[in-house]
Amino acid sequence: MIGAGLEIAALGMGHRQVAAHLGLADSTVRGWLRAFAGRAEAVRRHFTVALVALADDPVMPNAAPSALADGVSAVAAAHHAAATKWPRMLTVSRWEKRSSRSRSN
């Protein structure tokens, strides 16, 4: 659900709109967005490197209007490259895989 919230926010919606769309408390979504925004540049760099490593001819995401949107775009592009490279192996959402790794660390 966090990934969905980040993707909605990347479209330009504020935390209240995202929270309403997901049926969650404003404070919960605000916390997600703040946490991601604080690491958005590091996330963008990490997933851009992954994109380049995965794709034979990587298509870089266009610059987005915010650091959060740039990070979300990089995650989506790397996920797409992985799904293209390994279509049968990649059956989880772009956020599910990352979330499961976060909980085990």
Side-chain angles (χ1 to χ4, degrees):
M1 188 162 303
I2 295 171
L6 293 171
E7 289 181 356
I8 295 166
L11 296 173
M13 290 189 188
H15 74 276
R16 287 185 184 93
Q17 291 173 303
V18 175
H21 183 76
L22 297 175
L24 297 171
D26 291 357
S27 59
T28 299
V29 174
R30 184 175 53 242
W32 295 346
L33 299 182
R34 283 183 179 168
F36 188 86
R39 299 190 37 82
E41 178 57 23
V43 169
R44 186 199 61 77
R45 282 193 312 265
H46 175 83
F47 282 94
T48 299
V49 169
L51 168 62
V52 170
L54 289 166
D56 293 331
D57 188 16
V59 177
M60 295 297 146
N62 291 328
S66 69
L68 183 142
D70 277 336
V72 169
S73 293
V75 171
H79 179 267
H80 178 73
T84 299
K85 188 168 188 160
W86 301 299
R88 291 186 179 169
M89 292 179 63
L90 195 61
T91 59
V92 297
S93 80
R94 58 184 150 261
W95 300 104
E96 191 173 2
K97 181 63 176 166
R98 179 63 197 142
S99 297
S100 65
R101 284 187 61 211
S102 295
R103 279 179 270 169
S104 65
N105 291 335

